[in-house]
Amino acid sequence: FNISSMHLAGCFTFALTWALAGACSSWERQALVAKLEAWCKERVPGWRLPEGHGLLGVYVNFGTGGVEAGETLRPWSEQLYGLPTPEQENIFEVPVPTVQGLSLQFLSTILLG
């Protein structure tokens, strides 16, 4: 099992962000995330976020391509495309995937799975 230091740093910042941000009010959360991003940029060599995304807008890419390419943190919005659409479902009963829903599903799967 080979894991890069960048992947480990991405996993750590993702876990720390969600652990702390879940215990804050929305205005405290924004300040906390801004401080965490600044701390990571300053102290973790080569650490970066996808262009235009903050820590709450990314997930950890566990695929080998992401680790090898140094793209550990990827935008949640990438997961919105290519999802199967249920056929012959009542339009009012079809779940609509959102970034918030995907992030909650991801965290639940990781924590409970």
Side-chain angles (χ1 to χ4, degrees), residues 43-90:
R43 301 221 163 104
V44 181
W47 185 87
R48 67 185 186 285
L49 287 167
E51 186 73 31
H53 297 280
L55 277 172
L56 293 176
V58 296
Y59 71 99
V60 176
N61 179 11
F62 288 108
T64 57
V67 176
E68 293 168 2
E71 297 179 350
T72 300
L73 299 173
R74 302 298 309 148
W76 286 111
S77 56
E78 288 181 352
Q79 298 294 317
L80 292 176
Y81 304 102
L83 293 174
T85 53
E87 294 184 21
Q88 299 181 1
E89 291 281 341
N90 182 340

Side-chain angles (χ1 to χ4, degrees), residues 15-26 28-30 32-33 36 56:
L16 182 64
T17 299
W18 282 94
L20 296 176
C24 299
S25 66
S26 62
E28 292 171 321
R29 185 176 304 119
Q30 297 305 319
L32 171 72
V33 168
L36 280 173
L56 293 176

Side-chain angles (χ1 to χ4, degrees), residues 14 60 62 76 103-113:
F14 177 83
V60 176
F62 288 108
W76 286 111
S103 60
L104 179 60
Q105 180 183 7
F106 180 82
L107 292 172
S108 299
T109 303
I110 295 297
L111 293 173
L112 301 175

